[in-house]
Amino acid sequence: MYACGPTVYNYAHIGNLRAYIFEDLLKRTLLYNNYKVNHIMNITDVGHLTDDGDEGEDKVAKSAELMGKTAKEIAKFYTAAFQKDLKNLNILPPNKFPKATDNIKEQIALIKKLETKGFTYKTSDGVYFDTSKLKDYGKLAQLAKQELKAGARVEMGQKKNITDFALWKFSPKDKKRQMEWKSPWGLGFPGWHIECSAMSVKYLGQPFDIHCGGIDHISVHHTNEIAQSEAASGKPLANFWLHGEFVLMGEDKMAKSAGNFITLNTLKEHRISPLAYRYLLLQTHYRKQLSFSWDALQAAQNGLNHLYNIVKSWDKAGVGCAEYEQKFLDAINNDLDLPGAMAIMWDLIKNPMYPGSSKRRTLLKFDKVLGLGLSKIKRGKISVPAEIQTLIAERDGARFSKNWHKSDELRKKIEAAGYTVEDTPEGTKITSISSS
Ligand code: AMP
Ligand code: ZN
């Protein structure tokens, strides 16, 4: 499985991270079904330009210049930040994180192969892939009913066709680039698409099974990966393609370039844990867009707290609930129906026929896919902070004076803070507590 990784010039935003959580859910589902998964995720540390049409600046080099650092320092810093995000989101690490700059030789070799087969031409600023030479160029986008947007916003320049794209870009004559390499065509650097074609085949062979990424990759990046790889070898690049939908900010896609993005750190400042974000994503199918809202995130945090509370109140894992395990398996194997799987989980939690010990066993199993960290939630006594104690006391008072409306409101407040209230003959019992 090959997943297009981050361009390491800034922090990943939660839209980017949705793509990696979707891939993690796919990988965990395959592992749950006893497949072995070899998961490769590249790190783009050169060649991704600010414009998809092969114009503009290198994103990493530009960020380095702005921050007064070297491109290497920038790439190292944001790669580490990205890997920390993956860990916080409980995303299983890929088997390898190959870097574009460590695979220049392989990229040059692939371009040479394309040149030998007559798929390339040279302009004054680089070596280009001639898309008119490939009869089924753009077939992925056609299948997905997407328009080919490559190059649509830029001047044709010396390109022969609007969809042609750079394989190798020449260093500018008047300016030394931080990242440049010698090649048979001159000093320069690789185009963004060629790195994925070179690294996927190096680590996985061709064709490999699954290629994934965000939905925006269909019309340009993946279309061009397919063109290069298939032109070079005459074989399909991958057997299956899966793409995750966007996180939207209002009407628009969350994007670094639009400046409307939110990172995991911003979530933490709002007391939303990374796993609450994961919980939120589990409730929307990967092929559906998700509109960002703080209310939805808060509801996810409350839901996760509530889940932890309940798990904490259960006995040690006993015999599982086979009936629910089958339903869960059917849901995840139905095109990753995680929202369905979550509903099945809550259905089991609420089912009085099964003891807590059975529910714990089964939820631990589910969590191999969900990745919500349930195995860390042990049965235990809970400590209740002063502000919650005050709410409980107020609610006891409301109940005493038979003010059921107020008592209900207070219960909701207590639950939103992650505590579960139970009224027993011995008095109010707080059964469990949040954990994040
Ligand atoms: P980048 O670092 O820009 O190459 O993007 C990394 C991944 O995030 C790619 O798979 C993109 O398709 C994906 N992506 C970018 N923006 C969004 C968004 N708003 N929602 C979901 N995925 C996104
Ligand atoms: Zn890629």
Side-chain angles (χ1 to χ4, degrees), residues 390-417:
T390 310
L391 291 177
I392 293 166
E394 268 184 54
R395 181 173 172 273
D396 285 344
R399 281 170 57 78
F400 185 72
S401 51
K402 299 198 167 15
N403 186 345
W404 306 123
H405 178 70
K406 187 169 177 201
S407 145
D408 249 21
E409 293 281 290
L410 286 160
R411 172 199 282 274
K412 277 185 203 146
K413 265 195 182 169
I414 295 165
E415 286 182 352

Side-chain angles (χ1 to χ4, degrees), residues 2-5 42 44 192-193 195-197 211-212 217 221-222 225:
Y2 186 87
C4 291
N42 66 303
T44 300
W192 171 36
H193 319 302
E195 66 168 279
C196 286
S197 285
H211 195 315
C212 21
H217 284 345
H221 183 52
H222 289 170
E225 276 185 43

Side-chain angles (χ1 to χ4, degrees), residues 137-335:
Y137 177 80
K139 61 185 173 184
L140 182 73
Q142 267 164 20
L143 262 175
K145 299 193 171 56
Q146 279 199 15
E147 266 179 67
L148 285 175
K149 283 191 240 125
R153 279 168 294 140
V154 290
E155 294 291 313
M156 271 278 277
Q158 299 162 29
K159 287 204 289 188
K160 292 186 183 168
N161 311 286
I162 197 85
T163 46
D164 292 355
F165 56 91
L167 297 163
W168 188 262
K169 292 276 282 187
F170 301 137
S171 294
K173 300 231 168 6
D174 52 343
K175 193 175 166 198
K176 176 145 179 54
R177 274 179 56 88
Q178 279 194 40
M179 297 182 288
E180 56 187 6
W181 293 265
K182 284 187 191 146
S183 81
W185 312 281
L187 201 60
F189 60 99
W192 171 36
H193 319 302
I194 198 77
E195 66 168 279
C196 286
S197 285
M199 290 191 269
S200 58
V201 70
K202 173 172 172 181
Y203 292 104
L204 297 171
Q206 192 178 336
F208 56 91
D209 288 314
I210 302 173
H211 195 315
C212 21
I215 190 131
D216 51 336
H217 284 345
I218 293 179
S219 60
V220 183
H221 183 52
H222 289 170
T223 286
N224 294 345
E225 276 185 43
I226 291 175
Q228 302 159 150
S229 297
E230 299 196 0
S233 70
K235 288 187 275 189
L237 175 58
N239 295 326
F240 301 96
W241 291 81
L242 282 91
H243 294 93
E245 257 292 0
F246 283 149
V247 173
L248 302 181
M249 257 327 224
E251 302 278 288
D252 304 316
K253 165 195 168 191
M254 183 178 288
K256 282 173 222 167
S257 53
N260 62 0
F261 66 93
I262 286 182
T263 63
L264 277 194
N265 277 336
T266 326
L267 294 193
K268 278 190 203 156
E269 282 160 18
H270 284 76
R271 301 173 63 84
I272 302 290
S273 68
L275 290 187
Y277 182 53
R278 189 175 172 109
Y279 184 96
L280 175 73
L281 294 182
L282 287 168
Q283 298 174 93
T284 303
H285 193 264
Y286 75 92
R287 285 198 280 116
K288 286 217 171 97
Q289 294 185 331
L290 177 76
S291 289
F292 172 84
S293 96
W294 286 111
D295 284 350
L297 271 166
Q298 190 55 57
Q301 183 71 65
N302 296 346
L304 181 65
N305 290 345
H306 192 49
L307 174 65
Y308 285 161
N309 284 341
I310 294 168
V311 173
K312 205 161 188 183
S313 71
W314 290 338
D315 286 337
K316 231 167 76 213
V319 180
C321 319
E323 166 202 358
Y324 279 91
E325 289 176 14
Q326 186 58 48
K327 284 191 201 169
F328 182 88
L329 183 65
D330 292 344
I332 58 172
N333 284 355
N334 178 18
D335 193 18

